[in-house]
Tab-separated table of all heavy atoms in Angstrom:
chain	number	residue	atom	x	y	z
L	1385	ALA	N	84.702	91.815	135.260
L	1385	ALA	CA	85.387	92.416	134.137
L	1385	ALA	C	84.453	93.409	133.472
L	1385	ALA	O	83.255	93.164	133.354
L	1385	ALA	CB	85.799	91.339	133.139
L	1386	SER	N	84.989	94.533	133.060
L	1386	SER	CA	84.162	95.520	132.361
L	1386	SER	C	84.845	95.930	131.060
L	1386	SER	O	86.070	95.980	130.967
L	1386	SER	CB	83.904	96.738	133.239
L	1386	SER	OG	85.108	97.373	133.577
L	1387	ILE	N	84.003	96.198	130.079
L	1387	ILE	CA	84.472	96.565	128.741
L	1387	ILE	C	83.621	97.730	128.249
L	1387	ILE	O	82.395	97.695	128.350
L	1387	ILE	CB	84.336	95.372	127.771
L	1387	ILE	CG1	85.184	94.204	128.279
L	1387	ILE	CG2	84.721	95.765	126.354
L	1387	ILE	CD1	84.953	92.915	127.553
L	1388	SER	N	84.279	98.750	127.733
L	1388	SER	CA	83.584	99.894	127.141
L	1388	SER	C	83.947	99.978	125.672
L	1388	SER	O	85.034	99.580	125.264
L	1388	SER	CB	83.985	101.194	127.830
L	1388	SER	OG	83.565	101.192	129.161
L	1389	GLY	N	83.015	100.516	124.903
L	1389	GLY	CA	83.280	100.651	123.481
L	1389	GLY	C	82.409	101.706	122.838
L	1389	GLY	O	81.406	102.140	123.408
L	1390	ASN	N	82.822	102.122	121.681
L	1390	ASN	CA	82.053	103.067	120.874
L	1390	ASN	C	81.370	102.322	119.749
L	1390	ASN	O	81.936	101.389	119.183
L	1390	ASN	CB	82.966	104.140	120.276
L	1390	ASN	CG	83.509	105.073	121.323
L	1390	ASN	OD1	82.885	105.314	122.342
L	1390	ASN	ND2	84.699	105.598	121.085
L	1391	VAL	N	80.151	102.752	119.437
L	1391	VAL	CA	79.439	102.195	118.289
L	1391	VAL	C	78.929	103.327	117.421
L	1391	VAL	O	78.512	104.375	117.911
L	1391	VAL	CB	78.258	101.273	118.703
L	1391	VAL	CG1	78.750	100.022	119.389
L	1391	VAL	CG2	77.256	101.988	119.575
L	1392	ASN	N	79.012	103.117	116.121
L	1392	ASN	CA	78.384	104.014	115.162
L	1392	ASN	C	77.024	103.414	114.837
L	1392	ASN	O	76.910	102.211	114.574
L	1392	ASN	CB	79.210	104.122	113.891
L	1392	ASN	CG	80.519	104.842	114.114
L	1392	ASN	OD1	80.761	105.421	115.165
L	1392	ASN	ND2	81.383	104.803	113.118
L	1393	VAL	N	76.008	104.255	114.849
L	1393	VAL	CA	74.636	103.836	114.573
L	1393	VAL	C	74.199	104.500	113.278
L	1393	VAL	O	74.307	105.720	113.132
L	1393	VAL	CB	73.698	104.242	115.741
L	1393	VAL	CG1	72.275	103.801	115.464
L	1393	VAL	CG2	74.207	103.666	117.059
L	1394	ASP	N	73.727	103.697	112.335
L	1394	ASP	CA	73.312	104.265	111.049
L	1394	ASP	C	71.919	104.875	111.139
L	1394	ASP	O	71.281	104.872	112.194
L	1394	ASP	CB	73.434	103.237	109.918
L	1394	ASP	CG	72.439	102.096	110.001
L	1394	ASP	OD1	71.433	102.191	110.733
L	1394	ASP	OD2	72.677	101.076	109.310
L	1395	ARG	N	71.436	105.399	110.019
L	1395	ARG	CA	70.131	106.080	109.994
L	1395	ARG	C	68.958	105.157	110.269
L	1395	ARG	O	67.859	105.622	110.542
L	1395	ARG	CB	69.924	106.773	108.649
L	1395	ARG	CG	70.945	107.853	108.396
L	1395	ARG	CD	70.746	108.541	107.087
L	1395	ARG	NE	70.280	107.607	106.059
L	1395	ARG	CZ	70.011	107.917	104.830
L	1395	ARG	NH1	70.158	109.156	104.425
L	1395	ARG	NH2	69.602	107.029	103.971
L	1396	THR	N	69.170	103.838	110.186
L	1396	THR	CA	68.082	102.900	110.457
L	1396	THR	C	68.108	102.388	111.897
L	1396	THR	O	67.234	101.638	112.302
L	1396	THR	CB	68.143	101.681	109.511
L	1396	THR	OG1	69.309	100.910	109.812
L	1396	THR	CG2	68.130	102.108	108.054
L	1397	GLY	N	69.138	102.776	112.672
L	1397	GLY	CA	69.240	102.340	114.058
L	1397	GLY	C	70.096	101.111	114.254
L	1397	GLY	O	70.219	100.599	115.361
L	1398	ARG	N	70.729	100.637	113.188
L	1398	ARG	CA	71.606	99.466	113.295
L	1398	ARG	C	73.048	99.903	113.533
L	1398	ARG	O	73.483	100.947	113.045
L	1398	ARG	CB	71.537	98.627	112.022
L	1398	ARG	CG	70.183	97.989	111.823
L	1398	ARG	CD	70.203	97.050	110.623
L	1398	ARG	NE	68.915	96.405	110.466
L	1398	ARG	CZ	68.569	95.267	111.043
L	1398	ARG	NH1	69.408	94.637	111.824
L	1398	ARG	NH2	67.372	94.752	110.840
L	1399	VAL	N	73.773	99.074	114.260
L	1399	VAL	CA	75.186	99.349	114.516
L	1399	VAL	C	75.969	99.074	113.236
L	1399	VAL	O	75.925	97.970	112.695
L	1399	VAL	CB	75.701	98.488	115.686
L	1399	VAL	CG1	77.210	98.639	115.841
L	1399	VAL	CG2	74.986	98.874	116.976
L	1400	SER	N	76.680	100.081	112.759
L	1400	SER	CA	77.467	99.924	111.544
L	1400	SER	C	78.950	99.702	111.847
L	1400	SER	O	79.689	99.220	110.997
L	1400	SER	CB	77.308	101.154	110.643
L	1400	SER	OG	77.736	102.323	111.318
L	1401	ARG	N	79.365	100.031	113.067
L	1401	ARG	CA	80.758	99.840	113.466
L	1401	ARG	C	80.819	99.780	114.982
L	1401	ARG	O	80.135	100.535	115.664
L	1401	ARG	CB	81.600	101.019	112.966
L	1401	ARG	CG	83.069	100.918	113.279
L	1401	ARG	CD	83.838	102.055	112.586
L	1401	ARG	NE	85.224	102.033	112.978
L	1401	ARG	CZ	85.736	102.782	113.949
L	1401	ARG	NH1	84.971	103.615	114.609
L	1401	ARG	NH2	87.010	102.696	114.257
L	1402	ALA	N	81.650	98.889	115.493
L	1402	ALA	CA	81.838	98.770	116.941
L	1402	ALA	C	83.316	98.589	117.239
L	1402	ALA	O	84.011	97.875	116.517
L	1402	ALA	CB	81.041	97.584	117.480
L	1403	GLU	N	83.790	99.245	118.298
L	1403	GLU	CA	85.181	99.096	118.698
L	1403	GLU	C	85.286	99.163	120.210
L	1403	GLU	O	84.545	99.900	120.866
L	1403	GLU	CB	86.069	100.168	118.069
L	1403	GLU	CG	85.786	101.559	118.586
L	1403	GLU	CD	86.726	102.609	118.021
L	1403	GLU	OE1	87.790	102.245	117.503
L	1403	GLU	OE2	86.374	103.799	118.114
L	1404	VAL	N	86.183	98.380	120.763
L	1404	VAL	CA	86.456	98.401	122.199
L	1404	VAL	C	87.403	99.562	122.481
L	1404	VAL	O	88.401	99.745	121.786
L	1404	VAL	CB	87.078	97.063	122.659
L	1404	VAL	CG1	87.583	97.156	124.084
L	1404	VAL	CG2	86.066	95.944	122.524
L	1405	THR	N	87.069	100.347	123.510
L	1405	THR	CA	87.921	101.475	123.872
L	1405	THR	C	88.648	101.261	125.188
L	1405	THR	O	89.682	101.877	125.422
L	1405	THR	CB	87.097	102.779	123.946
L	1405	THR	OG1	86.018	102.597	124.858
L	1405	THR	CG2	86.576	103.160	122.571
L	1406	SER	N	88.103	100.404	126.066
L	1406	SER	CA	88.811	100.118	127.317
L	1406	SER	C	88.341	98.797	127.919
L	1406	SER	O	87.205	98.372	127.702
L	1406	SER	CB	88.620	101.249	128.333
L	1406	SER	OG	87.283	101.299	128.784
L	1407	THR	N	89.236	98.171	128.632
L	1407	THR	CA	88.929	96.939	129.357
L	1407	THR	C	89.476	97.077	130.769
L	1407	THR	O	90.489	97.754	130.995
L	1407	THR	CB	89.568	95.707	128.690
L	1407	THR	OG1	90.986	95.875	128.656
L	1407	THR	CG2	89.039	95.489	127.283
L	1408	LYS	N	88.797	96.441	131.713
L	1408	LYS	CA	89.245	96.516	133.100
L	1408	LYS	C	88.832	95.244	133.824
L	1408	LYS	O	87.700	94.779	133.660
L	1408	LYS	CB	88.620	97.733	133.792
L	1408	LYS	CG	89.083	97.936	135.218
L	1408	LYS	CD	88.461	99.187	135.788
L	1408	LYS	CE	88.942	99.387	137.221
L	1408	LYS	NZ	88.332	100.572	137.810
L	1409	GLY	N	89.739	94.705	134.571
L	1409	GLY	CA	89.415	93.555	135.394
L	1409	GLY	C	89.921	92.247	134.822
L	1409	GLY	O	90.305	92.152	133.657
L	1410	GLU	N	89.898	91.261	135.673
L	1410	GLU	CA	90.385	89.936	135.320
L	1410	GLU	C	89.539	89.312	134.210
L	1410	GLU	O	88.319	89.268	134.298
L	1410	GLU	CB	90.346	89.028	136.544
L	1410	GLU	CG	90.959	87.677	136.319
L	1410	GLU	CD	90.966	86.833	137.589
L	1410	GLU	OE1	90.869	87.393	138.686
L	1410	GLU	OE2	91.054	85.611	137.443
L	1411	GLY	N	90.192	88.876	133.159
L	1411	GLY	CA	89.512	88.202	132.064
L	1411	GLY	C	88.881	89.121	131.032
L	1411	GLY	O	88.294	88.649	130.069
L	1412	ALA	N	88.984	90.423	131.221
L	1412	ALA	CA	88.327	91.363	130.300
L	1412	ALA	C	88.830	91.214	128.868
L	1412	ALA	O	88.043	91.233	127.924
L	1412	ALA	CB	88.501	92.799	130.784
L	1413	GLU	N	90.132	91.057	128.711
L	1413	GLU	CA	90.702	90.935	127.359
L	1413	GLU	C	90.093	89.761	126.600
L	1413	GLU	O	89.825	89.849	125.406
L	1413	GLU	CB	92.222	90.782	127.427
L	1413	GLU	CG	92.948	92.041	127.836
L	1413	GLU	CD	92.873	93.153	126.805
L	1413	GLU	OE1	92.872	92.848	125.601
L	1413	GLU	OE2	92.808	94.310	127.219
L	1414	SER	N	89.846	88.664	127.295
L	1414	SER	CA	89.312	87.481	126.628
L	1414	SER	C	87.827	87.615	126.301
L	1414	SER	O	87.284	86.815	125.550
L	1414	SER	CB	89.540	86.235	127.484
L	1414	SER	OG	88.811	86.326	128.692
L	1415	LEU	N	87.172	88.644	126.848
L	1415	LEU	CA	85.734	88.830	126.618
L	1415	LEU	C	85.421	89.924	125.605
L	1415	LEU	O	84.253	90.194	125.327
L	1415	LEU	CB	85.037	89.151	127.948
L	1415	LEU	CG	85.047	88.015	128.963
L	1415	LEU	CD1	84.635	88.522	130.341
L	1415	LEU	CD2	84.133	86.895	128.514
L	1416	THR	N	86.440	90.534	125.021
L	1416	THR	CA	86.175	91.626	124.081
L	1416	THR	C	85.364	91.160	122.873
L	1416	THR	O	84.498	91.888	122.391
L	1416	THR	CB	87.479	92.304	123.610
L	1416	THR	OG1	88.317	91.319	123.001
L	1416	THR	CG2	88.207	92.969	124.757
L	1417	GLY	N	85.620	89.959	122.395
L	1417	GLY	CA	84.855	89.434	121.256
L	1417	GLY	C	83.376	89.302	121.576
L	1417	GLY	O	82.521	89.627	120.744
L	1418	GLU	N	83.063	88.841	122.785
L	1418	GLU	CA	81.651	88.717	123.188
L	1418	GLU	C	81.005	90.082	123.314
L	1418	GLU	O	79.841	90.266	122.942
L	1418	GLU	CB	81.541	87.944	124.504
L	1418	GLU	CG	81.909	86.484	124.382
L	1418	GLU	CD	81.056	85.751	123.347
L	1418	GLU	OE1	79.825	85.924	123.333
L	1418	GLU	OE2	81.635	85.004	122.546
L	1419	ALA	N	81.735	91.063	123.835
L	1419	ALA	CA	81.187	92.416	123.959
L	1419	ALA	C	80.904	93.001	122.575
L	1419	ALA	O	79.848	93.612	122.356
L	1419	ALA	CB	82.154	93.305	124.733
L	1420	LEU	N	81.824	92.822	121.638
L	1420	LEU	CA	81.608	93.332	120.281
L	1420	LEU	C	80.432	92.638	119.610
L	1420	LEU	O	79.626	93.271	118.918
L	1420	LEU	CB	82.878	93.173	119.437
L	1420	LEU	CG	84.030	94.101	119.798
L	1420	LEU	CD1	85.288	93.687	119.057
L	1420	LEU	CD2	83.661	95.549	119.509
L	1421	LYS	N	80.318	91.336	119.817
L	1421	LYS	CA	79.197	90.592	119.234
L	1421	LYS	C	77.866	91.112	119.792
L	1421	LYS	O	76.904	91.320	119.043
L	1421	LYS	CB	79.342	89.095	119.545
L	1421	LYS	CG	78.391	88.234	118.765
L	1421	LYS	CD	78.450	86.741	119.019
L	1421	LYS	CE	79.672	86.165	119.643
L	1421	LYS	NZ	79.576	84.713	119.865
L	1422	ALA	N	77.818	91.347	121.089
L	1422	ALA	CA	76.596	91.879	121.710
L	1422	ALA	C	76.291	93.282	121.193
L	1422	ALA	O	75.138	93.600	120.884
L	1422	ALA	CB	76.736	91.887	123.230
L	1423	ALA	N	77.320	94.110	121.077
L	1423	ALA	CA	77.121	95.485	120.607
L	1423	ALA	C	76.539	95.507	119.204
L	1423	ALA	O	75.652	96.310	118.895
L	1423	ALA	CB	78.448	96.244	120.635
L	1424	ARG	N	77.005	94.609	118.354
L	1424	ARG	CA	76.510	94.579	116.970
L	1424	ARG	C	75.058	94.126	116.874
L	1424	ARG	O	74.398	94.376	115.868
L	1424	ARG	CB	77.412	93.682	116.125
L	1424	ARG	CG	78.770	94.294	115.899
L	1424	ARG	CD	79.661	93.419	115.038
L	1424	ARG	NE	80.990	93.989	114.947
L	1424	ARG	CZ	82.087	93.434	115.448
L	1424	ARG	NH1	82.036	92.266	116.064
L	1424	ARG	NH2	83.250	94.032	115.328
L	1425	ARG	N	74.552	93.456	117.908
L	1425	ARG	CA	73.149	93.024	117.906
L	1425	ARG	C	72.194	94.100	118.410
L	1425	ARG	O	70.987	93.987	118.237
L	1425	ARG	CB	72.991	91.769	118.764
L	1425	ARG	CG	73.566	90.533	118.124
L	1425	ARG	CD	73.112	89.261	118.810
L	1425	ARG	NE	73.302	89.270	120.241
L	1425	ARG	CZ	74.280	88.627	120.890
L	1425	ARG	NH1	75.160	87.914	120.222
L	1425	ARG	NH2	74.376	88.697	122.200
L	1426	PHE	N	72.716	95.150	119.042
L	1426	PHE	CA	71.865	96.224	119.552
L	1426	PHE	C	71.115	96.895	118.406
L	1426	PHE	O	71.627	96.993	117.283
L	1426	PHE	CB	72.703	97.292	120.252
L	1426	PHE	CG	72.980	97.028	121.700
L	1426	PHE	CD1	73.536	95.841	122.111
L	1426	PHE	CD2	72.683	97.980	122.649
L	1426	PHE	CE1	73.808	95.610	123.454
L	1426	PHE	CE2	72.946	97.761	123.983
L	1426	PHE	CZ	73.508	96.575	124.394
L	1427	ARG	N	69.920	97.353	118.705
L	1427	ARG	CA	69.144	98.176	117.776
L	1427	ARG	C	68.741	99.436	118.526
L	1427	ARG	O	68.312	99.375	119.672
L	1427	ARG	CB	67.885	97.450	117.276
L	1427	ARG	CG	68.190	96.199	116.478
L	1427	ARG	CD	68.926	96.522	115.187
L	1427	ARG	NE	69.307	95.335	114.454
L	1427	ARG	CZ	70.523	94.804	114.440
L	1427	ARG	NH1	71.498	95.342	115.147
L	1427	ARG	NH2	70.786	93.736	113.739
L	1428	PHE	N	68.882	100.570	117.875
L	1428	PHE	CA	68.625	101.855	118.491
L	1428	PHE	C	67.516	102.601	117.750
L	1428	PHE	O	67.279	102.352	116.575
L	1428	PHE	CB	69.887	102.734	118.443
L	1428	PHE	CG	71.018	102.196	119.259
L	1428	PHE	CD1	71.912	101.287	118.711
L	1428	PHE	CD2	71.206	102.609	120.558
L	1428	PHE	CE1	72.971	100.792	119.460
L	1428	PHE	CE2	72.256	102.120	121.320
L	1428	PHE	CZ	73.133	101.217	120.767
L	1429	ARG	N	66.903	103.519	118.439
L	1429	ARG	CA	66.032	104.475	117.764
L	1429	ARG	C	66.985	105.488	117.137
L	1429	ARG	O	67.822	106.058	117.828
L	1429	ARG	CB	65.122	105.171	118.783
L	1429	ARG	CG	64.192	106.175	118.136
L	1429	ARG	CD	63.183	106.737	119.110
L	1429	ARG	NE	62.285	105.669	119.524
L	1429	ARG	CZ	61.887	105.477	120.780
L	1429	ARG	NH1	62.310	106.258	121.744
L	1429	ARG	NH2	61.053	104.508	121.072
L	1430	PRO	N	66.899	105.688	115.831
L	1430	PRO	CA	67.863	106.576	115.165
L	1430	PRO	C	67.835	107.995	115.735
L	1430	PRO	O	66.791	108.491	116.166
L	1430	PRO	CB	67.401	106.591	113.707
L	1430	PRO	CG	66.556	105.379	113.547
L	1430	PRO	CD	65.932	105.132	114.888
L	1431	ALA	N	69.005	108.635	115.718
L	1431	ALA	CA	69.080	110.044	116.082
L	1431	ALA	C	68.313	110.845	115.024
L	1431	ALA	O	68.169	110.400	113.881
L	1431	ALA	CB	70.532	110.489	116.145
L	1432	ARG	N	67.836	112.000	115.417
L	1432	ARG	CA	67.061	112.825	114.484
L	1432	ARG	C	67.671	114.214	114.398
L	1432	ARG	O	68.171	114.742	115.376
L	1432	ARG	CB	65.613	112.935	114.953
L	1432	ARG	CG	64.962	111.627	115.263
L	1432	ARG	CD	63.952	111.109	114.375
L	1432	ARG	NE	63.035	112.044	113.793
L	1432	ARG	CZ	62.388	111.766	112.693
L	1432	ARG	NH1	62.565	110.600	112.101
L	1432	ARG	NH2	61.560	112.613	112.176
L	1433	GLN	N	67.617	114.731	113.201
L	1433	GLN	CA	67.999	116.113	112.967
L	1433	GLN	C	66.826	116.719	112.214
L	1433	GLN	O	66.614	116.410	111.035
L	1433	GLN	CB	69.286	116.172	112.157
L	1433	GLN	CG	69.908	117.531	112.118
L	1433	GLN	CD	71.292	117.453	111.516
L	1433	GLN	OE1	71.472	116.826	110.477
L	1433	GLN	NE2	72.254	118.076	112.157
L	1434	GLY	N	66.045	117.501	112.934
L	1434	GLY	CA	64.779	117.954	112.361
L	1434	GLY	C	63.870	116.749	112.196
L	1434	GLY	O	63.634	116.005	113.139
L	1435	LYS	N	63.405	116.506	110.988
L	1435	LYS	CA	62.536	115.356	110.719
L	1435	LYS	C	63.277	114.192	110.075
L	1435	LYS	O	62.679	113.194	109.726
L	1435	LYS	CB	61.371	115.787	109.821
L	1435	LYS	CG	60.446	116.771	110.492
L	1435	LYS	CD	59.266	117.101	109.627
L	1435	LYS	CE	58.352	118.056	110.359
L	1435	LYS	NZ	57.125	118.288	109.637
L	1436	ARG	N	64.613	114.330	109.924
L	1436	ARG	CA	65.397	113.288	109.257
L	1436	ARG	C	66.126	112.401	110.262
L	1436	ARG	O	66.630	112.883	111.269
L	1436	ARG	CB	66.467	113.918	108.360
L	1436	ARG	CG	65.950	114.672	107.189
L	1436	ARG	CD	67.074	115.219	106.303
L	1436	ARG	NE	68.258	115.632	107.056
L	1436	ARG	CZ	69.496	115.234	106.781
L	1436	ARG	NH1	69.734	114.432	105.764
L	1436	ARG	NH2	70.515	115.647	107.500
L	1437	ASN	N	66.181	111.112	109.970
L	1437	ASN	CA	67.037	110.203	110.730
L	1437	ASN	C	68.472	110.448	110.291
L	1437	ASN	O	68.741	110.614	109.103
L	1437	ASN	CB	66.680	108.745	110.443
L	1437	ASN	CG	65.353	108.347	111.017
L	1437	ASN	OD1	64.743	109.085	111.770
L	1437	ASN	ND2	64.896	107.162	110.671
L	1438	VAL	N	69.391	110.481	111.250
L	1438	VAL	CA	70.802	110.697	110.936
L	1438	VAL	C	71.656	109.665	111.667
L	1438	VAL	O	71.249	109.100	112.681
L	1438	VAL	CB	71.273	112.120	111.316
L	1438	VAL	CG1	70.563	113.166	110.466
L	1438	VAL	CG2	71.068	112.391	112.794
L	1439	ALA	N	72.838	109.419	111.150
L	1439	ALA	CA	73.790	108.529	111.804
L	1439	ALA	C	74.299	109.199	113.072
L	1439	ALA	O	74.310	110.430	113.191
L	1439	ALA	CB	74.946	108.223	110.860
L	1440	SER	N	74.718	108.390	114.036
L	1440	SER	CA	75.219	108.927	115.295
L	1440	SER	C	76.239	107.966	115.890
L	1440	SER	O	76.509	106.900	115.339
L	1440	SER	CB	74.065	109.142	116.277
L	1440	SER	OG	73.426	107.914	116.563
L	1441	GLN	N	76.773	108.350	117.025
L	1441	GLN	CA	77.733	107.516	117.745
L	1441	GLN	C	77.371	107.546	119.224
L	1441	GLN	O	76.911	108.565	119.746
L	1441	GLN	CB	79.148	108.049	117.549
L	1441	GLN	CG	80.207	107.175	118.170
L	1441	GLN	CD	81.593	107.712	117.925
L	1441	GLN	OE1	81.849	108.903	118.122
L	1441	GLN	NE2	82.495	106.852	117.505
L	1442	THR	N	77.576	106.416	119.893
L	1442	THR	CA	77.338	106.348	121.331
L	1442	THR	C	78.342	105.390	121.964
L	1442	THR	O	79.066	104.684	121.264
L	1442	THR	CB	75.887	105.928	121.644
L	1442	THR	OG1	75.625	106.153	123.028
L	1442	THR	CG2	75.624	104.479	121.281
L	1443	THR	N	78.378	105.394	123.269
L	1443	THR	CA	79.271	104.527	124.024
L	1443	THR	C	78.452	103.490	124.772
L	1443	THR	O	77.400	103.809	125.333
L	1443	THR	CB	80.093	105.355	125.035
L	1443	THR	OG1	80.846	106.337	124.313
L	1443	THR	CG2	81.037	104.480	125.834
L	1444	LEU	N	78.919	102.259	124.764
L	1444	LEU	CA	78.283	101.175	125.507
L	1444	LEU	C	79.254	100.651	126.554
L	1444	LEU	O	80.466	100.647	126.331
L	1444	LEU	CB	77.895	100.024	124.576
L	1444	LEU	CG	76.898	100.322	123.474
L	1444	LEU	CD1	76.719	99.084	122.594
L	1444	LEU	CD2	75.574	100.736	124.067
L	1445	ALA	N	78.715	100.188	127.668
L	1445	ALA	CA	79.537	99.575	128.710
L	1445	ALA	C	78.949	98.217	129.056
L	1445	ALA	O	77.728	98.079	129.211
L	1445	ALA	CB	79.568	100.463	129.942
L	1446	PHE	N	79.807	97.215	129.161
L	1446	PHE	CA	79.398	95.856	129.506
L	1446	PHE	C	80.123	95.434	130.774
L	1446	PHE	O	81.318	95.700	130.923
L	1446	PHE	CB	79.759	94.870	128.388
L	1446	PHE	CG	79.057	95.129	127.102
L	1446	PHE	CD1	79.635	95.923	126.124
L	1446	PHE	CD2	77.809	94.581	126.856
L	1446	PHE	CE1	78.981	96.166	124.925
L	1446	PHE	CE2	77.150	94.818	125.664
L	1446	PHE	CZ	77.735	95.614	124.702
L	1447	THR	N	79.410	94.770	131.657
L	1447	THR	CA	80.013	94.193	132.856
L	1447	THR	C	79.740	92.704	132.838
L	1447	THR	O	78.582	92.289	132.718
L	1447	THR	CB	79.429	94.825	134.132
L	1447	THR	OG1	79.661	96.234	134.097
L	1447	THR	CG2	80.077	94.234	135.370
L	1448	PHE	N	80.790	91.926	132.921
L	1448	PHE	CA	80.675	90.469	132.936
L	1448	PHE	C	80.977	89.983	134.349
L	1448	PHE	O	81.973	90.391	134.947
L	1448	PHE	CB	81.669	89.836	131.955
L	1448	PHE	CG	81.375	90.143	130.515
L	1448	PHE	CD1	81.927	91.248	129.893
L	1448	PHE	CD2	80.530	89.315	129.786
L	1448	PHE	CE1	81.656	91.524	128.564
L	1448	PHE	CE2	80.256	89.579	128.450
L	1448	PHE	CZ	80.820	90.683	127.839
L	1449	SER	N	80.106	89.111	134.857
L	1449	SER	CA	80.290	88.528	136.190
L	1449	SER	C	80.268	87.018	136.066
L	1449	SER	O	79.468	86.476	135.302
L	1449	SER	CB	79.173	88.964	137.119
L	1449	SER	OG	79.143	90.371	137.248
L	1450	PRO	N	81.090	86.325	136.857
L	1450	PRO	CA	81.029	84.854	136.811
L	1450	PRO	C	79.700	84.368	137.373
L	1450	PRO	O	79.107	85.025	138.232
L	1450	PRO	CB	82.193	84.422	137.699
L	1450	PRO	CG	82.543	85.611	138.515
L	1450	PRO	CD	82.073	86.825	137.772
L	1451	GLU	N	79.241	83.246	136.851
L	1451	GLU	CA	78.010	82.658	137.366
L	1451	GLU	C	78.245	82.171	138.780
L	1451	GLU	O	79.322	81.697	139.122
L	1451	GLU	CB	77.590	81.478	136.507
L	1451	GLU	CG	77.099	81.870	135.144
L	1451	GLU	CD	76.595	80.678	134.372
L	1451	GLU	OE1	75.949	79.801	134.971
L	1451	GLU	OE2	76.852	80.632	133.160
L	1452	ALA	N	77.213	82.253	139.607
L	1452	ALA	CA	77.305	81.744	140.966
L	1452	ALA	C	77.611	80.253	140.922
L	1452	ALA	O	76.982	79.513	140.188
L	1452	ALA	CB	76.005	82.009	141.714
L	1453	GLY	N	78.609	79.847	141.659
L	1453	GLY	CA	78.967	78.438	141.713
L	1453	GLY	C	79.864	77.986	140.587
L	1453	GLY	O	80.291	76.836	140.580
L	1454	ALA	N	80.167	78.836	139.623
L	1454	ALA	CA	80.984	78.432	138.476
L	1454	ALA	C	82.379	78.002	138.910
L	1454	ALA	O	82.958	77.103	138.353
L	1454	ALA	CB	81.057	79.552	137.442
L	1455	ALA	N	82.922	78.673	139.923
L	1455	ALA	CA	84.273	78.348	140.378
L	1455	ALA	C	84.304	77.008	141.130
L	1455	ALA	O	85.346	76.405	141.265
L	1455	ALA	CB	84.802	79.465	141.269
L	1456	GLU	N	83.155	76.592	141.591
L	1456	GLU	CA	83.090	75.349	142.365
L	1456	GLU	C	83.070	74.122	141.474
L	1456	GLU	O	83.325	73.024	141.907
L	1456	GLU	CB	81.844	75.358	143.250
L	1456	GLU	CG	81.856	76.491	144.266
L	1456	GLU	CD	80.522	76.635	144.963
L	1456	GLU	OE1	79.659	75.749	144.795
L	1456	GLU	OE2	80.344	77.628	145.669
L	1457	ASN	N	82.707	74.268	140.209
L	1457	ASN	CA	82.584	73.119	139.296
L	1457	ASN	C	83.904	72.690	138.747
L	1457	ASN	O	84.790	73.274	138.450
L	1457	ASN	CB	81.617	73.429	138.152
L	1457	ASN	CG	80.209	73.613	138.670
L	1457	ASN	OD1	79.837	73.038	139.696
L	1457	ASN	ND2	79.430	74.420	137.986
C-alpha cells in the first residue's frame, strides 16, 4: 500500500499541517492515520529565502509492506 501527502513546514522545520493526497493498494485507506502520524513527526531543515528561514511545502510518500510471515500467523 502506498500513501502520498502534502505537508506544510514552518520556519522552525516542524510540520504545521499534513494531508493525504492519494492512496493506492490494498489496505491503504486504513493506513492513512499512521501515515499522517509519521508525517507530523518529521523534522526538516527550514527553507531559506536569503538569510531568513521561511515556511514551505513538500510532498511525502509512504510505502507500507506486510511483515514477512505475518499472513502465516
